[in-house]
Amino acid sequence: MPTDTNPARTVFDVLVADGVISKDQADQLRVKAATDNIPLDKLLETSTVVNPEQLAQARAKMLGIPYVPLASTAFSPEALNFLPQPVVERFQLIPFAYDDSEKSLSIAMAHPENVEALQFVQQKTGLHIKTFAASAQEVARAIATQYRQELVGEVGKAIKETEELKPVKTIDSAKIGEIIKEAPIAKIVSTILEYAVMNRASDIHMEPLDDRVRVRYRIDGILYDRLTLPKSVQEAVVSRIKILAEMKIDEHRTPQDGRFNYKYADKEVDLRVSVLPTVHGEKIVMRLLRKSGGIPTLPELGLAGIALKNLETAMLRPHGIIIVCGPTGSGKTTTLYSVLSKLNTPNVNIMSLEDPVEYEIAGVNQVQINPGVGLTFASGLRAFLRQDPNVILVGEIRDNETTDLAIQAALTGHLVFSTLHTSSAAGALPRLLDLGAEGFLLASTMNALVGQRIVRKICTHCKVAYTPAQEVVTEIQQVLGKLFPAQGAVQLYKGQGCSECGDSGYVGRIGIFEVLPVTDRISKLMLAHPEASALEEEAIKEGMITMRQDGYMKVLQGITTIEEVLRVAQE
């Protein structure tokens, strides 16, 4: 432990100087420290006046070293291999990055003023040590996570084995062939994939940087840094993935696409692999599509109340068009799959035209577009009309021809579903008019328009209630209007962060929706080619719940947080 005479007094002064502690709070703390005979540093650690991060930042400022937020830091397996768990626990520190060219090790310390710990680490590793300050809680949590986490531990062992292979600087394709057959490289790739499957990741990003390879996972829609690989294994790992995805391993100048299946325990996923040349090597993105788990029902997606009733009414009409709107990654395809599953009966012929086919639904005739051989959304839709369908799903309306064909299909007695990249349900109408659709045809064929976004759900294991600031309550009241429940004090919820949710406070996702049914009054309005705002205004008068209102209701129910709703639905 530190032998400094009283470093905390300086930390205390930094906190006061920066305005983190007010003058009144400072006076109260000094009195309490004197009364209870407790050193100020100990009192600051147990006080609620400052949080652990603020204390660590002040300590970093006092010592003139950087502060590192460990919760959002990617750990290098090589760095962790330099120090065993008993050492890091004894000194409350953790290595997180290693630079081979400088022979330097970056370590985060709860007590960076501890000279004894620094000397010990330097002697044990023989490396130049770069010191960073971090909160004691984050250091303890990182030690518990990283030293038991299979991702970093297993990859670290495999990297150690690859060092014995001594790959040369310039590797020809023959050498690569030898290296990628080695067990360590296969182990690195399989461990990266296992972690993705077990942690519900939708995408894996392997990004080559100047001095290392960064591995990031998209979990519940957010990218997380989870691992860094040394530059020495980059070529071999990329080639291993290329072989799995049946790509050319000797082609490094053009983008390539491939796919393969991967099974871990009882979970099977289909991986779509994209390779793109960058200045530091080839970047790989793998999209994971789960084969098991089934398609969720509409209520499971987050549709409820009047929105669910309006969508189900529109679906049960024998013909017309239903369009789902939202940006990329807002869950439009999943919503359409849920709708198709509900309509999927032996006496209905359902045909879908997709790019790509993400999930296979038994009983639905699914076609993947292939522009290379002339199978586009337009040509496929034209062919569909000769296949006696009842229900048609067109993955996306992109051009005039597809728009016209979709309207013609609806006019000739088919139920047509599709998607559009617009920010709201009402925004679909002007977009279709831009694509050459006639207002009077849209008015007679459109059944409903759905707008949606995806928000993360609060982790049930670390969910806590809190009383929000008055301005937050006022904002919710203003947005919800008559929908605001008449009750006492408003309580909202958030996740504190735990091992179940990877300290994010969130597990899983749910949709927030607005369903705009095309009523007689909306149809009449369409004939005048209105602005999206005029359509939305009329729909709200007729009882439509907007996306933001739906989100705020889910906030009051404790399903998600207000920050999540604002993140995805901020106008």
Side-chain angles (χ1 to χ4, degrees):
M1 290 300 292
T3 53
D4 203 303
T5 52
N6 195 356
R9 183 166 52 185
T10 320
V11 172
F12 184 79
D13 290 342
V14 169
L15 289 165
V16 174
D18 287 352
V20 178
I21 296 176
S22 68
K23 190 176 182 304
D24 289 346
Q25 288 172 326
D27 291 340
Q28 287 169 11
L29 286 166
R30 284 193 187 99
V31 169
K32 185 168 176 58
T35 308
D36 297 351
N37 196 25
I38 302 170
L40 264 171
D41 63 334
K42 292 291 177 196
L43 189 59
L44 281 171
E45 285 173 12
T46 55
S47 167
T48 55
V49 173
V50 290
N51 62 45
E53 286 72 29
Q54 290 171 324
L55 198 59
Q57 286 165 355
R59 191 172 278 125
K61 195 168 185 179
M62 176 195 80
L63 295 169
I65 60 172
Y67 164 80
V68 60
L70 290 178
S72 57
T73 298
F75 283 79
S76 158
E78 283 184 299
L80 291 165
N81 277 337
F82 281 107
L83 294 173
Q85 193 166 350
V87 170
V88 296
E89 285 175 343
R90 176 184 160 196
F91 292 118
Q92 286 184 275
L93 54 85
I94 186 164
F96 62 88
Y98 169 65
D99 189 324
D100 191 43
S101 60
E102 292 182 4
K103 299 293 180 201
S104 65
L105 186 68
S106 298
I107 60 169
M109 302 181 69
H111 300 287
E113 70 277 10
N114 188 344
V115 180
E116 179 199 337
L118 280 169
Q119 287 173 341
F120 181 89
V121 170
Q122 199 153 21
Q123 284 171 359
K124 182 165 182 62
T125 61
L127 300 169
H128 169 61
I129 304 300
K130 291 182 179 177
T131 313
F132 293 76
S135 73
Q137 284 88 333
E138 281 203 339
V139 170
R141 192 180 288 165
I143 291 169
T145 305
Q146 297 301 330
Y147 279 87
R148 72 165 167 75
Q149 190 182 86
E150 287 184 11
L151 175 70
V152 175
E154 292 292 335
V155 171
K157 285 181 209 164
I159 287 169
K160 212 164 190 178
E161 287 178 48
T162 64
E163 288 168 8
E164 296 163 18
L165 302 173
K166 297 188 174 79
V168 288
K169 290 288 178 190
T170 307
I171 305 170
D172 61 27
S173 57
K175 288 278 184 188
I176 275 286
E178 291 167 25
I179 292 168
I180 57 180
K181 288 175 190 167
E182 297 287 344
I185 298 299
K187 182 66 178 171
I188 291 171
V189 173
S190 66
T191 307
I192 287 169
L193 295 176
E194 280 170 25
Y195 184 85
V197 173
M198 297 310 293
N199 288 274
R200 315 177 326 280
S202 61
D203 301 84
I204 306 168
H205 291 241
M206 298 182 69
E207 301 164 314
L209 305 178
D210 183 33
D211 56 342
R212 65 190 192 281
V213 179
R214 177 169 67 173
V215 182
R216 296 194 290 175
Y217 294 88
R218 192 176 291 281
I219 301 169
D220 293 334
I222 306 292
L223 269 177
Y224 293 98
D225 243 343
R226 283 289 183 260
L227 178 69
T228 58
L229 299 174
K231 201 75 176 167
S232 59
V233 300
Q234 177 182 319
E235 290 279 341
V237 168
V238 168
S239 294
R240 172 74 183 166
I241 293 167
K242 279 183 173 181
I243 283 177
L244 291 172
E246 296 183 349
M247 297 178 189
K248 297 175 183 172
I249 65 167
D250 57 346
E251 177 55 75
H252 306 288
R253 298 164 302 168
T254 59
Q256 293 187 70
D257 293 305
R259 62 187 288 182
F260 64 95
N261 284 352
Y262 179 76
K263 191 169 184 180
Y264 177 67
D266 59 338
K267 297 179 175 68
E268 190 174 354
V269 292
D270 182 13
L271 287 109
R272 306 288 165 90
V273 185
S274 169
V275 175
L276 181 74
T278 72
V279 290
H280 296 302
E282 289 170 294
K283 174 180 174 173
I284 291 181
V285 175
M286 291 181 272
R287 163 68 54 93
L288 284 82
L289 303 170
R290 275 156 184 75
K291 291 193 159 190
S292 49
I295 293 164
T297 63
L298 291 171
E300 284 169 352
L301 290 178
L303 274 156
I306 190 77
L308 178 61
K309 182 170 175 282
N310 284 338
L311 181 57
E312 287 183 334
T313 303
M315 282 163 46
L316 295 174
R317 289 185 188 171
H319 52 82
I321 301 175
I322 295 172
I323 290 188
V324 182
C325 314
T328 302
S330 59
K332 301 186 295 295
T333 306
T334 305
T335 300
L336 288 177
Y337 280 174
S338 296
V339 168
L340 291 191
S341 295
K342 192 172 175 65
L343 296 173
N344 190 12
T345 59
N347 55 357
V348 175
N349 178 20
I350 302 177
M351 305 199 68
S352 81
L353 192 60
E354 304 170 53
D355 180 26
V357 174
E358 293 195 11
Y359 300 94
E360 292 178 15
I361 311 171
V364 174
N365 304 287
Q366 294 171 275
V367 178
Q368 181 159 325
I369 72 161
N370 186 352
V373 296
L375 178 52
T376 62
F377 280 122
S379 66
L381 185 47
R382 197 177 290 107
F384 273 18
L385 296 175
R386 296 191 289 273
Q387 289 277 322
D388 185 31
N390 300 102
V391 178
I392 297 170
L393 165 62
V394 185
E396 190 183 333
I397 292 178
R398 294 179 180 172
D399 53 36
N400 296 20
E401 197 179 356
T402 314
T403 308
D404 291 341
L405 285 164
I407 291 170
Q408 289 306 317
L411 286 169
T412 53
H414 304 91
L415 186 58
V416 181
F417 294 92
S418 193
T419 68
L420 267 181
H421 290 282
T422 59
S423 59
S424 66
L429 266 276
R431 176 64 57 83
L432 288 168
L433 292 168
D434 289 343
L435 287 170
E438 295 288 353
F440 69 92
L441 290 177
L442 289 177
S444 58
T445 56
M446 200 63 68
N447 289 359
L449 299 159
V450 181
Q452 72 176 79
R453 299 287 189 281
I454 301 181
V455 293
R456 292 181 291 170
K457 292 197 290 185
I458 298 169
C459 172
T460 52
H461 293 88
C462 59
K463 182 175 175 179
V464 291
Y466 71 98
T467 304
Q470 186 53 46
E471 54 264 31
V472 174
V473 178
T474 307
E475 154 81 1
I476 294 173
Q477 272 178 316
Q478 284 173 348
V479 170
L480 289 180
K482 293 176 187 173
L483 298 169
F484 189 80
Q487 57 183 36
V490 172
Q491 270 207 326
L492 301 185
Y493 300 84
K494 62 183 177 183
Q496 287 183 308
C498 64
S499 58
E500 291 291 327
C501 60
D503 295 320
S504 68
Y506 299 98
V507 169
R509 294 191 287 174
I510 195 166
I512 57 173
F513 296 87
E514 60 186 21
V515 178
L516 193 161
V518 180
T519 59
D520 291 341
R521 290 174 69 178
I522 297 277
S523 287
K524 283 175 188 165
L525 199 56
M526 280 186 194
L527 296 171
H529 290 205
E531 292 289 318
S533 54
L535 269 176
E536 190 168 292
E537 208 174 296
E538 179 58 38
I540 289 167
K541 277 184 199 167
E542 294 187 14
M544 181 183 86
I545 292 169
T546 67
M547 243 183 305
R548 203 158 173 199
Q549 286 176 327
D550 188 33
Y552 281 4
M553 286 195 288
K554 287 182 169 82
V555 168
L556 292 175
Q557 290 162 13
I559 296 168
T560 187
T561 63
I562 194 156
E563 292 83 5
E564 273 298 287
V565 176
L566 292 173
R567 178 176 70 84
V568 300
Q570 185 67 280
E571 291 163 10

